[in-house]
Amino acid sequence: MTTEAPDFGRLLRERLARAEAVASQIEAQLVGLGDLRDPNTDDEHDPDGAPVSGEWSRLAGMRLDNRFERTEILAAIDRLERDAFGICEACGRPIAEARLRARPVARTCVDCAA
């Protein structure tokens, strides 16, 4: 493969660090909203903002997306460490460098992804 593994390793570690920072921010925001099961948590619609339940739902969705992103990044790092990075999991051919640069967590080549 013509790609340089250390370059992708650095890129993946940077993306993981950003995703972990976002995860911390999301968790802090969820904690700040309080426990929706607590009857003292005001969930009345504020005309100047979203109701607490709506905000909690939005953040919970972001948390799920973030967990998926971190899982994909960790899997790509694992493939890199096993010298399987950049090899299509479906057909075994190399994944194009341009695809890996655009989507370093890619598991399949463009043809197999289609």
Side-chain angles (χ1 to χ4, degrees), residues 3 12 14 22 32 37 42-43 47 52 62 70 78 80 108 114:
T3 58
L12 290 166
E14 287 172 358
V22 168
R37 295 171 296 189
D42 181 10
D43 196 26
V52 174
M62 289 174 61
R70 287 183 289 149
D78 179 63
L80 191 64
T108 58

Side-chain angles (χ1 to χ4, degrees), residues 19 21-31 58-64 66:
V22 168
S24 294
Q25 293 170 353
I26 292 168
E27 292 303 322
Q29 290 176 12
L30 282 165
V31 168
R58 183 184 73 81
L59 290 168
M62 289 174 61
R63 178 173 52 186
L64 285 174
N66 179 269

Side-chain angles (χ1 to χ4, degrees), residues 13 30 67:
R13 286 188 302 277
L30 282 165
R67 284 181 182 163

